[in-house]
Amino acid sequence: MAIGRRDLASLSREKTIVLAILIQLFVAAFSSFLVVGLTSLYDPGSVESGEVAVGISGEEVDALGRAAARRDGVEAVAYPSETAARQAFQRGDVDAVLHAERSQGRIAVSATAPQGSLRTTLIVVQLRGLLETMERQQRAARSEFLDSPVVPVPPPVDASPYFGFTYTVLIPLLLFLPPFISGSIAVDAITEEIERETMELLRVAPVSLVDIVDGKAAAMIALAPVQAGAWILLMTFNGFRVSNPWLVLSVVTALTVVVVALGVALGLRTGTRRQAQLLYSVGALGLFGGAVFLPEHPATTVAKLAVDSPSPTTYALVAGYAVVAVVAYAAVRRYTGRVDAASL
């Protein structure tokens, strides 16, 4: 406990760690304001940014016009030919051009959008939405001419993009950063003692190397769920309700134990901060990337718990993370017991 308190107290002097925590605190505390701006990057079409004028031409100009009439933020301007539409685009009269021709029983649409403009992303999103609307209309119009029934096209859902961004991006981001930071701090806590040759001084207490690792690891493991709990409280204060907070914190704690165990093992193995941090970063990213092969990614598990829609698979994975954490830390303690402390 004394070693753990000592390491936690020393974190206040680590400017990089303090800055990382303050950045997370800022995001969590002002999430209700930041979510609008961040969502504009996640889904540019969610932000009203003026109307997009689209020049339309070709044999299926009427179909393009009907689709544009169903889209908010799109104004269709018909031209007699593709050349006339492109000339209007060059003059700046329209923001983009859609030319639709019938070819072998299908409608082929060519699109022209500005290159390198700040509005390019918004224009492309609006064009994609217009073409999706046109596709729905064509499917509905042609379904009666088919010999066999087709799969019904689901109706468009008028859902807020802020909900999806908050629970699938913002909350997992805030909850997974603390474990990654804790593992990185665990690497520093071990390698600094080795590089400064102060490990032997700690053992004078007297404590064993396993006791030293336990104290340092416990401090780092406790740090992440405390941070995550604070972020959840701040998100709730900003109007974003997080369901199943204890299960969410259990996932965060389990992942923290795994990455801290990885950091401790690499610190003891390499003995140098630079090499251990490099290997830790690659290993942590590899673990997080390899999680895509699980039935649910940890980010998906957290999102489903946060919106209160967990499945039996979600609960099974929460229990599985806890088991993996126990096994990982037990393996690290066993490895630590075999390390010759005098050689560090």
Side-chain angles (χ1 to χ4, degrees):
M1 294 299 296
I3 293 173
R5 288 195 300 268
R6 168 181 169 271
D7 280 4
L8 287 176
S10 67
L11 290 180
S12 60
R13 298 187 294 272
E14 295 288 341
K15 295 181 180 180
T16 303
I17 301 301
V18 173
L19 179 61
I21 294 175
L22 289 177
I23 291 174
Q24 295 174 72
L25 176 62
F26 179 80
V27 173
F30 296 95
S31 54
S32 59
F33 300 99
L34 294 176
V35 70
V36 177
L38 293 174
T39 305
S40 66
L41 301 176
Y42 169 74
D43 183 8
S46 66
V47 180
E48 295 294 337
S49 182
E51 201 168 59
V52 174
V54 180
I56 57 176
S57 61
E59 295 178 346
E60 296 295 332
V61 66
D62 292 337
L64 288 172
R66 288 192 298 269
R70 298 290 300 274
R71 295 286 305 177
D72 295 332
V74 177
E75 179 188 3
V77 181
Y79 290 92
S81 65
E82 183 180 10
T83 301
R86 288 183 177 273
Q87 289 175 349
F89 174 73
Q90 295 294 336
R91 293 193 304 267
D93 297 339
V94 294
D95 300 305
V97 173
L98 289 178
H99 181 73
E101 296 286 350
R102 185 176 295 277
S103 174
Q104 298 179 354
R106 298 185 179 185
I107 299 177
V109 182
S110 60
T112 303
Q115 181 179 7
S117 169
L118 294 176
R119 283 170 52 85
T120 298
T121 302
L122 175 64
I123 293 171
V124 170
V125 170
Q126 292 286 24
L127 291 179
R128 184 182 63 189
L130 189 153
L131 293 177
E132 289 175 350
T133 302
M134 180 180 175
E135 181 184 10
R136 287 177 179 271
Q137 292 176 342
Q138 292 298 317
R139 286 178 180 272
R142 301 185 184 196
S143 60
E144 60 184 51
F145 299 103
L146 300 178
D147 296 331
S148 57
V150 297
V151 177
V153 179
V157 179
D158 187 19
S160 171
Y162 304 130
F163 180 87
F165 173 79
T166 300
Y167 288 96
T168 62
V169 177
L170 186 58
I171 289 179
L173 176 65
L174 284 172
L175 296 183
F176 289 148
L177 277 177
F180 185 83
I181 293 175
S182 291
S184 179
I185 299 173
V187 173
D188 286 349
I190 297 297
T191 55
E192 284 184 358
E193 301 288 359
I194 297 174
E195 290 180 340
R196 295 176 181 178
E197 299 182 354
T198 55
M199 187 70 76
E200 190 65 26
L201 294 177
L202 289 177
R203 297 182 61 240
V204 172
V207 289
S208 66
L209 183 59
V210 174
D211 294 329
I212 294 173
V213 168
D214 283 342
K216 291 179 175 294
M220 301 307 107
I221 291 171
L223 184 63
V226 170
Q227 281 185 262
W231 306 158
I232 289 175
L233 289 176
L234 288 171
M235 293 288 290
T236 304
F237 179 77
N238 278 273
F240 300 106
R241 178 175 175 267
V242 179
S243 302
N244 304 299
W246 294 111
L247 287 177
V248 171
L249 291 178
S250 298
V251 174
V252 172
T253 304
L255 294 179
T256 304
V257 172
V258 173
V259 295
V260 167
L262 175 64
V264 169
L266 291 174
L268 291 174
R269 179 64 179 176
T270 62
T272 58
R273 180 180 182 276
R274 179 177 297 180
Q275 185 179 1
Q277 283 287 7
L278 175 61
L279 293 175
Y280 167 75
S281 299
V282 174
L285 292 176
L287 288 175
F288 193 78
V292 299
F293 297 104
L294 295 173
E296 285 181 5
H297 194 275
T300 303
T301 299
V302 167
K304 292 176 72 173
L305 290 172
V307 298
D308 198 20
S309 62
S311 63
T313 301
T314 304
Y315 290 120
L317 286 174
V318 173
Y321 294 144
V323 172
V324 171
V326 172
V327 172
Y329 193 74
V332 168
R333 291 187 88 250
R334 184 175 181 181
Y335 170 73
T336 305
R338 296 180 177 181
V339 174
D340 183 8
S343 63
L344 296 178

PDB file of all heavy atoms in Angstrom, residues 128-150:
ATOM      1  N   ARG A 128     -24.845  11.471 -52.007  1.00  0.00           N
ATOM      2  CA  ARG A 128     -25.074  10.065 -51.668  1.00  0.00           C
ATOM      3  C   ARG A 128     -26.494   9.854 -51.173  1.00  0.00           C
ATOM      4  O   ARG A 128     -27.171   8.884 -51.554  1.00  0.00           O
ATOM      5  CB  ARG A 128     -24.065   9.633 -50.608  1.00  0.00           C
ATOM      6  CG  ARG A 128     -24.155   8.154 -50.242  1.00  0.00           C
ATOM      7  CD  ARG A 128     -23.167   7.825 -49.146  1.00  0.00           C
ATOM      8  NE  ARG A 128     -23.480   8.568 -47.919  1.00  0.00           N
ATOM      9  CZ  ARG A 128     -22.690   8.611 -46.854  1.00  0.00           C
ATOM     10  NH1 ARG A 128     -21.529   7.982 -46.880  1.00  0.00           N
ATOM     11  NH2 ARG A 128     -23.048   9.289 -45.785  1.00  0.00           N
ATOM     12  N   GLY A 129     -26.968  10.763 -50.312  1.00  0.00           N
ATOM     13  CA  GLY A 129     -28.333  10.644 -49.813  1.00  0.00           C
ATOM     14  C   GLY A 129     -29.367  10.787 -50.917  1.00  0.00           C
ATOM     15  O   GLY A 129     -30.388  10.078 -50.920  1.00  0.00           O
ATOM     16  N   LEU A 130     -29.114  11.691 -51.865  1.00  0.00           N
ATOM     17  CA  LEU A 130     -30.051  11.871 -52.969  1.00  0.00           C
ATOM     18  C   LEU A 130     -30.128  10.602 -53.824  1.00  0.00           C
ATOM     19  O   LEU A 130     -31.217  10.173 -54.222  1.00  0.00           O
ATOM     20  CB  LEU A 130     -29.604  13.070 -53.810  1.00  0.00           C
ATOM     21  CG  LEU A 130     -30.546  13.574 -54.909  1.00  0.00           C
ATOM     22  CD1 LEU A 130     -30.315  15.058 -55.157  1.00  0.00           C
ATOM     23  CD2 LEU A 130     -30.347  12.809 -56.222  1.00  0.00           C
ATOM     24  N   LEU A 131     -28.973  10.005 -54.105  1.00  0.00           N
ATOM     25  CA  LEU A 131     -28.966   8.781 -54.913  1.00  0.00           C
ATOM     26  C   LEU A 131     -29.614   7.618 -54.173  1.00  0.00           C
ATOM     27  O   LEU A 131     -30.274   6.770 -54.794  1.00  0.00           O
ATOM     28  CB  LEU A 131     -27.529   8.438 -55.304  1.00  0.00           C
ATOM     29  CG  LEU A 131     -26.850   9.423 -56.256  1.00  0.00           C
ATOM     30  CD1 LEU A 131     -25.400   9.033 -56.511  1.00  0.00           C
ATOM     31  CD2 LEU A 131     -27.604   9.510 -57.580  1.00  0.00           C
ATOM     32  N   GLU A 132     -29.445   7.544 -52.849  1.00  0.00           N
ATOM     33  CA  GLU A 132     -30.114   6.493 -52.077  1.00  0.00           C
ATOM     34  C   GLU A 132     -31.633   6.678 -52.129  1.00  0.00           C
ATOM     35  O   GLU A 132     -32.385   5.695 -52.233  1.00  0.00           O
ATOM     36  CB  GLU A 132     -29.624   6.521 -50.630  1.00  0.00           C
ATOM     37  CG  GLU A 132     -28.190   6.037 -50.466  1.00  0.00           C
ATOM     38  CD  GLU A 132     -27.702   6.183 -49.037  1.00  0.00           C
ATOM     39  OE1 GLU A 132     -28.421   6.833 -48.233  1.00  0.00           O
ATOM     40  OE2 GLU A 132     -26.608   5.666 -48.723  1.00  0.00           O
ATOM     41  N   THR A 133     -32.089   7.922 -52.050  1.00  0.00           N
ATOM     42  CA  THR A 133     -33.526   8.193 -52.160  1.00  0.00           C
ATOM     43  C   THR A 133     -34.047   7.802 -53.538  1.00  0.00           C
ATOM     44  O   THR A 133     -35.128   7.215 -53.676  1.00  0.00           O
ATOM     45  CB  THR A 133     -33.802   9.683 -51.898  1.00  0.00           C
ATOM     46  OG1 THR A 133     -33.326  10.033 -50.602  1.00  0.00           O
ATOM     47  CG2 THR A 133     -35.288   9.987 -51.983  1.00  0.00           C
ATOM     48  N   MET A 134     -33.281   8.122 -54.571  1.00  0.00           N
ATOM     49  CA  MET A 134     -33.670   7.757 -55.931  1.00  0.00           C
ATOM     50  C   MET A 134     -33.740   6.241 -56.081  1.00  0.00           C
ATOM     51  O   MET A 134     -34.652   5.697 -56.718  1.00  0.00           O
ATOM     52  CB  MET A 134     -32.663   8.347 -56.923  1.00  0.00           C
ATOM     53  CG  MET A 134     -32.966   8.043 -58.374  1.00  0.00           C
ATOM     54  SD  MET A 134     -31.726   8.792 -59.470  1.00  0.00           S
ATOM     55  CE  MET A 134     -32.261   8.125 -61.050  1.00  0.00           C
ATOM     56  N   GLU A 135     -32.793   5.535 -55.463  1.00  0.00           N
ATOM     57  CA  GLU A 135     -32.811   4.072 -55.541  1.00  0.00           C
ATOM     58  C   GLU A 135     -34.052   3.504 -54.877  1.00  0.00           C
ATOM     59  O   GLU A 135     -34.699   2.583 -55.408  1.00  0.00           O
ATOM     60  CB  GLU A 135     -31.560   3.506 -54.880  1.00  0.00           C
ATOM     61  CG  GLU A 135     -31.490   1.986 -54.930  1.00  0.00           C
ATOM     62  CD  GLU A 135     -30.292   1.444 -54.172  1.00  0.00           C
ATOM     63  OE1 GLU A 135     -29.641   2.224 -53.458  1.00  0.00           O
ATOM     64  OE2 GLU A 135     -30.031   0.234 -54.281  1.00  0.00           O
ATOM     65  N   ARG A 136     -34.436   4.041 -53.727  1.00  0.00           N
ATOM     66  CA  ARG A 136     -35.646   3.578 -53.054  1.00  0.00           C
ATOM     67  C   ARG A 136     -36.877   3.794 -53.933  1.00  0.00           C
ATOM     68  O   ARG A 136     -37.750   2.925 -54.030  1.00  0.00           O
ATOM     69  CB  ARG A 136     -35.819   4.319 -51.725  1.00  0.00           C
ATOM     70  CG  ARG A 136     -34.853   3.897 -50.636  1.00  0.00           C
ATOM     71  CD  ARG A 136     -35.053   4.743 -49.389  1.00  0.00           C
ATOM     72  NE  ARG A 136     -34.163   4.339 -48.321  1.00  0.00           N
ATOM     73  CZ  ARG A 136     -34.427   3.410 -47.410  1.00  0.00           C
ATOM     74  NH1 ARG A 136     -35.594   2.775 -47.460  1.00  0.00           N
ATOM     75  NH2 ARG A 136     -33.559   3.095 -46.473  1.00  0.00           N
ATOM     76  N   GLN A 137     -36.948   4.962 -54.555  1.00  0.00           N
ATOM     77  CA  GLN A 137     -38.098   5.249 -55.403  1.00  0.00           C
ATOM     78  C   GLN A 137     -38.163   4.309 -56.600  1.00  0.00           C
ATOM     79  O   GLN A 137     -39.250   3.840 -56.982  1.00  0.00           O
ATOM     80  CB  GLN A 137     -38.034   6.706 -55.864  1.00  0.00           C
ATOM     81  CG  GLN A 137     -38.239   7.719 -54.748  1.00  0.00           C
ATOM     82  CD  GLN A 137     -38.077   9.141 -55.215  1.00  0.00           C
ATOM     83  OE1 GLN A 137     -37.502   9.403 -56.282  1.00  0.00           O
ATOM     84  NE2 GLN A 137     -38.565  10.098 -54.435  1.00  0.00           N
ATOM     85  N   GLN A 138     -37.018   4.012 -57.206  1.00  0.00           N
ATOM     86  CA  GLN A 138     -36.993   3.104 -58.350  1.00  0.00           C
ATOM     87  C   GLN A 138     -37.368   1.680 -57.945  1.00  0.00           C
ATOM     88  O   GLN A 138     -38.073   0.981 -58.680  1.00  0.00           O
ATOM     89  CB  GLN A 138     -35.598   3.123 -58.993  1.00  0.00           C
ATOM     90  CG  GLN A 138     -35.253   4.435 -59.677  1.00  0.00           C
ATOM     91  CD  GLN A 138     -36.190   4.748 -60.833  1.00  0.00           C
ATOM     92  OE1 GLN A 138     -36.536   3.872 -61.631  1.00  0.00           O
ATOM     93  NE2 GLN A 138     -36.622   6.000 -60.911  1.00  0.00           N
ATOM     94  N   ARG A 139     -36.912   1.253 -56.792  1.00  0.00           N
ATOM     95  CA  ARG A 139     -37.278  -0.085 -56.305  1.00  0.00           C
ATOM     96  C   ARG A 139     -38.785  -0.183 -56.090  1.00  0.00           C
ATOM     97  O   ARG A 139     -39.417  -1.177 -56.458  1.00  0.00           O
ATOM     98  CB  ARG A 139     -36.542  -0.407 -55.007  1.00  0.00           C
ATOM     99  CG  ARG A 139     -35.075  -0.723 -55.174  1.00  0.00           C
ATOM    100  CD  ARG A 139     -34.429  -0.984 -53.822  1.00  0.00           C
ATOM    101  NE  ARG A 139     -33.011  -1.286 -53.952  1.00  0.00           N
ATOM    102  CZ  ARG A 139     -32.514  -2.502 -54.142  1.00  0.00           C
ATOM    103  NH1 ARG A 139     -33.343  -3.542 -54.245  1.00  0.00           N
ATOM    104  NH2 ARG A 139     -31.217  -2.699 -54.247  1.00  0.00           N
ATOM    105  N   ALA A 140     -39.344   0.857 -55.463  1.00  0.00           N
ATOM    106  CA  ALA A 140     -40.782   0.842 -55.207  1.00  0.00           C
ATOM    107  C   ALA A 140     -41.578   0.875 -56.510  1.00  0.00           C
ATOM    108  O   ALA A 140     -42.598   0.199 -56.658  1.00  0.00           O
ATOM    109  CB  ALA A 140     -41.159   2.021 -54.317  1.00  0.00           C
ATOM    110  N   ALA A 141     -41.113   1.640 -57.511  1.00  0.00           N
ATOM    111  CA  ALA A 141     -41.838   1.766 -58.774  1.00  0.00           C
ATOM    112  C   ALA A 141     -41.762   0.497 -59.610  1.00  0.00           C
ATOM    113  O   ALA A 141     -42.703   0.167 -60.348  1.00  0.00           O
ATOM    114  CB  ALA A 141     -41.293   2.953 -59.564  1.00  0.00           C
ATOM    115  N   ARG A 142     -40.667  -0.251 -59.522  1.00  0.00           N
ATOM    116  CA  ARG A 142     -40.470  -1.414 -60.388  1.00  0.00           C
ATOM    117  C   ARG A 142     -40.844  -2.734 -59.724  1.00  0.00           C
ATOM    118  O   ARG A 142     -40.829  -3.784 -60.373  1.00  0.00           O
ATOM    119  CB  ARG A 142     -39.004  -1.485 -60.836  1.00  0.00           C
ATOM    120  CG  ARG A 142     -38.538  -0.258 -61.593  1.00  0.00           C
ATOM    121  CD  ARG A 142     -37.134  -0.426 -62.119  1.00  0.00           C
ATOM    122  NE  ARG A 142     -36.634   0.781 -62.769  1.00  0.00           N
ATOM    123  CZ  ARG A 142     -35.594   0.832 -63.567  1.00  0.00           C
ATOM    124  NH1 ARG A 142     -34.922  -0.277 -63.826  1.00  0.00           N
ATOM    125  NH2 ARG A 142     -35.209   1.959 -64.097  1.00  0.00           N
ATOM    126  N   SER A 143     -41.168  -2.718 -58.449  1.00  0.00           N
ATOM    127  CA  SER A 143     -41.438  -3.974 -57.754  1.00  0.00           C
ATOM    128  C   SER A 143     -42.649  -4.707 -58.315  1.00  0.00           C
ATOM    129  O   SER A 143     -42.701  -5.934 -58.323  1.00  0.00           O
ATOM    130  CB  SER A 143     -41.649  -3.685 -56.260  1.00  0.00           C
ATOM    131  OG  SER A 143     -42.751  -2.811 -56.076  1.00  0.00           O
ATOM    132  N   GLU A 144     -43.657  -3.975 -58.833  1.00  0.00           N
ATOM    133  CA  GLU A 144     -44.876  -4.627 -59.331  1.00  0.00           C
ATOM    134  C   GLU A 144     -44.641  -5.346 -60.654  1.00  0.00           C
ATOM    135  O   GLU A 144     -45.476  -6.155 -61.073  1.00  0.00           O
ATOM    136  CB  GLU A 144     -45.984  -3.596 -59.487  1.00  0.00           C
ATOM    137  CG  GLU A 144     -45.633  -2.470 -60.453  1.00  0.00           C
ATOM    138  CD  GLU A 144     -46.712  -1.411 -60.516  1.00  0.00           C
ATOM    139  OE1 GLU A 144     -47.126  -0.922 -59.448  1.00  0.00           O
ATOM    140  OE2 GLU A 144     -47.121  -1.094 -61.646  1.00  0.00           O
ATOM    141  N   PHE A 145     -43.536  -5.090 -61.323  1.00  0.00           N
ATOM    142  CA  PHE A 145     -43.253  -5.738 -62.605  1.00  0.00           C
ATOM    143  C   PHE A 145     -42.421  -7.009 -62.444  1.00  0.00           C
ATOM    144  O   PHE A 145     -42.094  -7.656 -63.442  1.00  0.00           O
ATOM    145  CB  PHE A 145     -42.514  -4.770 -63.538  1.00  0.00           C
ATOM    146  CG  PHE A 145     -43.304  -3.534 -63.858  1.00  0.00           C
ATOM    147  CD1 PHE A 145     -42.998  -2.339 -63.226  1.00  0.00           C
ATOM    148  CD2 PHE A 145     -44.357  -3.565 -64.757  1.00  0.00           C
ATOM    149  CE1 PHE A 145     -43.714  -1.194 -63.503  1.00  0.00           C
ATOM    150  CE2 PHE A 145     -45.077  -2.420 -65.051  1.00  0.00           C
ATOM    151  CZ  PHE A 145     -44.767  -1.218 -64.418  1.00  0.00           C
ATOM    152  N   LEU A 146     -42.056  -7.364 -61.225  1.00  0.00           N
ATOM    153  CA  LEU A 146     -41.246  -8.549 -60.991  1.00  0.00           C
ATOM    154  C   LEU A 146     -42.137  -9.773 -60.809  1.00  0.00           C
ATOM    155  O   LEU A 146     -43.271  -9.677 -60.325  1.00  0.00           O
ATOM    156  CB  LEU A 146     -40.367  -8.353 -59.750  1.00  0.00           C
ATOM    157  CG  LEU A 146     -39.376  -7.177 -59.813  1.00  0.00           C
ATOM    158  CD1 LEU A 146     -38.613  -7.058 -58.504  1.00  0.00           C
ATOM    159  CD2 LEU A 146     -38.411  -7.355 -60.982  1.00  0.00           C
ATOM    160  N   ASP A 147     -41.608 -10.945 -61.208  1.00  0.00           N
ATOM    161  CA  ASP A 147     -42.371 -12.185 -61.092  1.00  0.00           C
ATOM    162  C   ASP A 147     -42.424 -12.696 -59.655  1.00  0.00           C
ATOM    163  O   ASP A 147     -43.360 -13.373 -59.268  1.00  0.00           O
ATOM    164  CB  ASP A 147     -41.748 -13.258 -62.000  1.00  0.00           C
ATOM    165  CG  ASP A 147     -41.836 -12.864 -63.462  1.00  0.00           C
ATOM    166  OD1 ASP A 147     -42.788 -12.127 -63.816  1.00  0.00           O
ATOM    167  OD2 ASP A 147     -40.959 -13.279 -64.237  1.00  0.00           O
ATOM    168  N   SER A 148     -41.406 -12.431 -58.882  1.00  0.00           N
ATOM    169  CA  SER A 148     -41.358 -12.884 -57.492  1.00  0.00           C
ATOM    170  C   SER A 148     -41.193 -11.679 -56.576  1.00  0.00           C
ATOM    171  O   SER A 148     -40.614 -10.659 -56.964  1.00  0.00           O
ATOM    172  CB  SER A 148     -40.181 -13.854 -57.278  1.00  0.00           C
ATOM    173  OG  SER A 148     -38.962 -13.234 -57.637  1.00  0.00           O
ATOM    174  N   PRO A 149     -41.721 -11.762 -55.369  1.00  0.00           N
ATOM    175  CA  PRO A 149     -41.626 -10.612 -54.447  1.00  0.00           C
ATOM    176  C   PRO A 149     -40.182 -10.363 -54.030  1.00  0.00           C
ATOM    177  O   PRO A 149     -39.369 -11.278 -53.933  1.00  0.00           O
ATOM    178  CB  PRO A 149     -42.487 -11.043 -53.249  1.00  0.00           C
ATOM    179  CG  PRO A 149     -42.492 -12.538 -53.315  1.00  0.00           C
ATOM    180  CD  PRO A 149     -42.450 -12.897 -54.768  1.00  0.00           C
ATOM    181  N   VAL A 150     -39.881  -9.109 -53.810  1.00  0.00           N
ATOM    182  CA  VAL A 150     -38.543  -8.729 -53.389  1.00  0.00           C
ATOM    183  C   VAL A 150     -38.543  -8.435 -51.903  1.00  0.00           C
ATOM    184  O   VAL A 150     -39.595  -8.263 -51.280  1.00  0.00           O
ATOM    185  CB  VAL A 150     -38.062  -7.475 -54.163  1.00  0.00           C
ATOM    186  CG1 VAL A 150     -37.969  -7.761 -55.634  1.00  0.00           C
ATOM    187  CG2 VAL A 150     -39.003  -6.309 -53.911  1.00  0.00           C
TER     188      VAL A 150
END
